[in-house]
Amino acid sequence: MAWTFGDFHLDPDGFQLARHGVAVPLEPQVLALLIHLVRHHDRMVSKDEVVEAVWHGRAVSDASISSRIRSVRQALDDDGARQEMIQTVHGRGFRFVAKVTTTMPACVLHGAPTIEPPEQIFGKPSIAILPFRPLGLEPTLAVFAEAIPHEIIEALSRLRWLAVIARGSSFRFREGEADMDMVTKALSARYVLAGIIECRGTGLAVTLELVDAKSRQVLWADRLESQLDEMDELRSRIVAHLVAALETHIPFNEARVAELNKLEDLDAWANYHVGLRHLYRFTTADTEQALTCFERAVASDPTFARAHAGLSFTSFLSAFLRLDPDRPAAVRATRHHAERAMEFDALDPFANFTMGRSFWLTDEPEVAAEWLSRATALNPNYAQGFYASAFTAMLIGDAAATTAALDTSLHLSPLDPLLYGVHGVRAQMLMQLEDYEAAAGWADRAAAQPGAHYLIGMIALVANGLADRHERTGSLGQDIRRRKPDATAADYFTAFPTRDVKSRARIAAELARQGF
């Protein structure tokens, strides 16, 4: 519902006060106080009730209450002398005395509620990073409650797919003074990141919580600790850990919400996120569904760089996994769509990522490495970019670079949808180093990951065969033939065109021994 009084219109759901149709700027606590007074205009509101409603029971002084009441009166052109809007009941509380007219929600008609359709989401997802709530911190350490969120805002601002509420707006909400309703309505954020920073003996602990502002569902939470003399390292860990988590959890949630609506009703961003969700399932049907979503996104917004990059990704999968019988056409499409993505946003890490991977398909790993390096430079916390860099280094035979990039990728995103690839690349590199026992262990871990495709199974087959784990190769071979009846050694070397001649010969011999 909403209320009108005098020249004013107060919308609690929209968290806005307007006068003659023009929004009146108010501090969140002031607006929350006004809403509570108007909602209960038929009675006196006690001071204790004001404290509970605005400060959630936290101890505050009478001066703080008086300050917020004075701000409400100023916004309404009222004052303590006239008290035409807000009347003070001395020593007890306040009463809203202006005549209030209530407007019922539009969904209640003829006395019967109607069922509302699922809420549609439009545009780029947005997030508000709130100052952390300090617990038991000395004044010299309390600065980290704002310093760390500020660094997070700067890091997230590099992401091209996420809108980050400016520090000047989000930092108006301090020390848990505002509840989630107040924050989301005031900032129009789809997601909120809150945190607590507290002393733990000789160190600090930071607890993070990512919340869906609409459903109030906690999508992700974590806790990181550090000694006081390692604060710089803790700050960098928090930023890196968080960016990688958001890359996974927000797109997944965006797709989940969007799928409640009809595909044809979604905007470009919603179609993009649904496409991503299908993309990472790595099946023929899901790749085709992802293609449809990205095509709809491009049709809705022809300059949407990430949608073009998504089309490049689907074409890459068609070529890499041989889902398209016309592989040369899929290779050309991979490059074409990546170029279009770069044309519209050359600074998007995902666009650079897809451009780099297009050079895998043409056996140009040195060129791929340059594009992938650019992707991770644009976003130093881009886990998939580091994974792709590791793959490229593996093709060239640079074991040190492969290991370093894989470790970075795994550190940034331990639950990444491409985790099967991270472990598979490590296994492939270990085979080139002739450490077959370790290769088999990593290959088995890769094959057990969600989304692992038949080529990962072939890596596990070869690694186990070279490690003389013959009891394992039988089941792996059956699974590969079930998933890809026409799989051959040529498929393996097309996907993994490594430069190491000796390891290629050993792998080819093992594949032949297993009937491929």
Side-chain angles (χ1 to χ4, degrees):
M1 65 177 65
W3 305 287
T4 59
F5 46 89
D7 299 331
F8 297 93
H9 178 82
L10 181 60
D11 179 6
D13 293 327
F15 203 67
Q16 185 179 68
L17 174 69
R19 186 175 193 178
H20 299 303
V22 179
V24 178
L26 288 176
E27 289 290 324
Q29 284 186 342
V30 176
L31 187 51
L33 173 57
L34 174 60
I35 289 172
H36 191 79
L37 291 173
V38 175
R39 176 175 281 122
H40 302 286
H41 64 274
D42 57 340
R43 64 176 178 83
M44 184 200 74
V45 174
S46 70
K47 287 186 177 181
D48 288 343
E49 190 176 340
V50 167
V51 171
E52 182 62 35
V54 179
W55 286 275
H56 308 288
R58 190 163 57 86
V60 295
S61 65
D62 285 347
S64 295
I65 298 174
S66 298
S67 172
R68 301 304 188 272
I69 290 289
R70 184 165 55 251
S71 295
V72 173
R73 283 177 168 149
Q74 289 174 350
L76 303 178
D77 284 343
D78 195 13
D79 58 41
R82 289 183 290 123
Q83 298 194 11
E84 295 177 352
M85 295 279 191
I86 300 173
Q87 184 182 84
T88 300
V89 182
H90 292 291
R92 299 186 61 190
F94 309 93
R95 183 190 297 274
F96 194 85
V97 295
K99 182 179 179 180
V100 176
T101 301
T102 301
T103 302
M104 297 302 294
C107 64
V108 180
L109 300 173
H110 307 296
T114 61
I115 298 175
E116 297 184 51
E119 181 181 1
Q120 296 188 31
I121 57 173
F122 296 101
K124 185 186 299 187
S126 56
I127 187 170
I129 312 298
L130 305 186
F132 291 169
R133 184 154 60 95
L135 293 180
L137 294 185
E138 299 177 1
T140 55
L141 297 176
V143 65
F144 290 118
E146 291 192 7
I148 296 176
H150 177 71
E151 290 187 18
I152 291 172
I153 290 173
E154 287 191 334
L156 296 187
S157 297
R158 294 186 178 190
L159 303 181
R160 314 294 277 187
W161 60 271
L162 183 64
V164 184
I165 305 299
R167 179 185 189 277
S169 295
S170 60
F171 273 35
R172 290 165 61 187
F173 299 91
R174 300 173 186 276
E175 299 184 16
E177 292 180 352
D179 63 15
M180 192 62 65
D181 283 330
M182 188 184 301
V183 172
T184 56
K185 290 173 182 177
L187 300 179
S188 298
R190 291 223 284 268
Y191 300 92
V192 174
L193 180 80
I196 296 173
I197 182 168
E198 55 188 320
C199 276
R200 285 293 183 189
T202 60
L204 289 179
V206 176
T207 302
L208 304 172
E209 191 173 83
L210 175 67
V211 179
D212 180 321
K214 175 64 177 177
S215 68
R216 301 297 186 265
Q217 179 183 1
V218 176
L219 303 179
W220 171 81
D222 205 355
R223 181 182 179 86
L224 295 91
E225 299 185 8
S226 173
Q227 295 298 307
L228 291 177
D229 58 357
E230 298 174 345
M231 274 304 300
D232 287 342
E233 190 269 342
L234 175 64
R235 289 158 69 176
S236 63
R237 277 172 53 208
I238 290 172
V239 172
H241 203 51
L242 174 63
V243 171
L246 297 188
E247 289 270 13
T248 299
H249 293 283
I250 288 183
F252 180 86
N253 192 63
E254 289 285 298
R256 180 189 62 80
V257 174
E259 286 177 333
L260 297 175
N261 298 275
K262 294 180 180 178
L263 192 62
E264 58 269 21
D265 293 337
L266 302 181
D267 73 344
W269 275 97
N271 265 300
Y272 167 73
H273 283 294
V274 174
L276 280 187
R277 187 169 184 176
H278 286 283
L279 189 70
Y280 290 119
R281 291 172 180 165
F282 307 104
T283 67
T284 301
D286 280 295
T287 301
E288 290 176 353
Q289 186 62 54
L291 175 65
T292 298
C293 291
F294 294 139
E295 286 177 340
R296 286 181 179 273
V298 168
S300 178
D301 182 358
T303 65
F304 187 10
R306 287 219 151 199
H308 287 283
L311 289 173
S312 178
F313 203 136
T314 57
S315 297
F316 172 84
L317 289 181
S318 294
F320 189 78
L321 300 178
R322 291 185 175 268
L323 303 177
D324 189 336
D326 189 353
R327 186 176 185 276
V331 171
R332 291 192 298 271
T334 302
R335 180 73 50 79
H336 167 73
H337 292 304
E339 289 173 344
R340 291 287 284 167
M342 292 295 299
E343 176 185 342
F344 293 119
D345 191 349
L347 298 181
D348 189 324
F350 187 42
N352 284 268
F353 169 85
T354 56
M355 178 65 86
R357 294 221 303 182
S358 75
F359 286 95
W360 289 0
L361 302 177
T362 53
D363 195 17
E364 299 175 86
E366 291 85 0
V367 180
E370 294 178 6
W371 285 103
L372 295 168
S373 177
R374 177 179 163 91
T376 54
L378 289 167
N379 180 5
N381 302 301
Y382 191 17
Q384 290 188 14
F386 283 104
Y387 152 66
S389 295
F391 189 109
T392 306
M394 176 271 291
L395 295 178
I396 298 170
D398 188 337
T402 300
T403 300
L406 289 175
D407 290 346
T408 300
S409 178
L410 193 58
H411 171 74
L412 290 171
S413 186
L415 298 177
D416 198 88
L418 291 179
L419 190 58
Y420 69 87
V422 174
H423 295 334
V425 168
R426 195 184 300 271
Q428 178 69 32
M429 189 71 248
L430 287 166
M431 282 194 285
Q432 293 174 214
L433 297 174
E434 301 183 35
D435 188 349
Y436 302 127
E437 193 67 27
W442 283 105
D444 282 346
R445 292 178 66 179
Q449 295 299 318
H453 46 72
Y454 81 96
L455 289 168
I456 296 297
M458 294 186 82
I459 292 178
L461 175 76
V462 172
N464 278 277
L466 293 173
D468 294 326
R469 295 181 175 184
H470 301 301
E471 72 286 351
R472 173 80 171 124
T473 58
S475 60
L476 286 167
Q478 291 176 3
D479 184 63
I480 294 166
R481 290 184 174 89
R482 178 183 59 81
R483 300 169 69 181
K484 183 73 170 175
D486 59 346
T488 66
D491 293 337
Y492 188 101
F493 291 112
T494 298
F496 311 116
T498 57
R499 299 287 176 83
D500 188 89
V501 177
K502 290 183 179 180
S503 70
R504 285 175 65 94
R506 288 190 294 269
I507 291 170
E510 184 59 34
L511 285 169
R513 198 171 72 83
Q514 299 293 339
F516 291 94

